Amino acid sequence: MKSMVVAVVLVAMPLAAGAQAPAIDPAVVQLWDVIHTADGSVLKGVIVEEVPGTSLKVSLVGGSTLVVQMTNVTKITRELNPAFAGGAAPPAVSGGGGSSAPASVGASGMRIGILPAIAFHSEIDVSTLMLTSYVGWELAFERWGLIPNVTAMYAMDTGVYENDSFGAAAAVRAAYRVSTVSPFIGFGLGVDFVSGDPSLSTAVVGGIELVVHRKIALVAEGRLHQGFGGTYTDVHKFAAVGMGVVIRL
């Protein structure tokens, strides 16, 4: 009995002295805490310390620890550790080389893109300055972001057209959120107007997006555009390249 009392006292002493409990290894727990942040990132691990309304301290898979400010937290959920679900080793979601940088995923929200570009018309061998933009809502999945959107296009008069050309389309973009650099593809169907002459058009886009701030991403994009019908069908065929920004609301 005496030895039992001594053991209890020895266990209780560090707690009474205010010592911190050892860090929790997320690899050995059944449920992970999943913290979604405003910059479109996700942290998977175990919340080991919380300052109410101020910050969270998270023990990440891979052994690193990160403090997250509550002002940057949009949602907290829980998910089953894959090691318990199927016997596989838990994936490392912290950055490579021991970094605590989290993997980035899609984050639901409004997206506004503005992209100055140079368009090269294949049929008439001329280039023109062009501005495209889109407004849409990103539907976030674990690794993908799907963005239905409305796209607008404006090309300046280069002397070949009697007037500038305009276009509008319903479109969708799909981005693979593997890190702060995300490749994407997209497709749109709409109508172009050149000198008042309407023409159905399609567009295929592709490029990369670089998140530089939780609300801003830089984007480099290539675009293939094809018009159908109307007097100015030929001048609707062009390829464009450009760089711009995406605002993540």
Side-chain angles (χ1 to χ4, degrees):
M1 176 66 71
K2 183 177 180 180
S3 61
M4 291 179 61
V5 172
V6 171
V8 171
V9 171
L10 290 176
V11 170
M13 282 179 63
L15 299 178
Q20 293 183 348
I24 299 174
D25 183 2
V28 301
V29 301
Q30 185 172 4
L31 290 175
W32 286 343
D33 296 309
V34 182
I35 298 95
H36 298 263
T37 64
D39 64 355
S41 300
V42 66
L43 300 172
K44 296 183 180 181
V46 178
I47 297 174
V48 296
E49 183 179 320
E50 179 178 1
V51 179
T54 302
S55 65
L56 297 173
K57 186 176 182 180
V58 186
S59 180
L60 298 172
V61 175
S64 57
T65 301
L66 185 67
V67 175
V68 184
Q69 300 302 312
M70 289 301 297
T71 54
N72 196 35
V73 175
T74 59
K75 182 173 64 174
I76 300 176
T77 60
R78 305 194 82 184
E79 73 177 37
L80 184 66
N81 180 347
F84 286 84
V93 295
S94 60
S99 170
S100 60
S104 293
V105 298
S108 297
M110 185 71 72
R111 301 290 182 261
I112 301 174
I114 303 173
L115 188 81
I118 297 177
F120 303 92
H121 293 277
S122 60
E123 297 296 324
I124 58 177
D125 192 25
V126 69
S127 62
T128 182
L129 296 177
M130 188 182 73
L131 179 68
T132 60
S133 61
Y134 75 88
V135 177
W137 184 274
E138 180 163 348
L139 305 174
F141 301 95
E142 180 65 18
R143 292 292 180 186
W144 290 89
L146 192 64
I147 312 173
N149 63 89
V150 176
T151 299
M153 177 272 292
Y154 164 71
M156 296 179 63
D157 185 356
T158 61
V160 177
Y161 309 144
E162 294 181 6
N163 294 293
D164 296 347
S165 59
F166 302 86
V172 63
R173 290 174 178 239
Y176 183 48
R177 307 297 189 187
V178 290
S179 68
T180 54
V181 179
S182 301
F184 65 86
I185 57 174
F187 176 79
L189 177 64
V191 179
D192 291 342
F193 296 89
V194 181
S195 298
D197 182 30
S199 170
L200 292 177
S201 64
T202 60
V204 178
V205 301
I208 57 173
E209 183 180 298
L210 171 64
V211 177
V212 295
H213 184 271
R214 65 188 182 91
K215 290 188 176 182
I216 299 176
L218 301 179
V219 60
E221 178 180 295
R223 169 182 294 264
L224 296 176
H225 193 97
Q226 171 72 61
F228 298 93
T231 306
Y232 296 94
T233 300
D234 289 344
V235 298
H236 286 164
K237 298 177 182 178
F238 61 80
V241 292
M243 297 183 65
V245 297
V246 173
I247 302 172
R248 302 150 56 91
L249 301 180

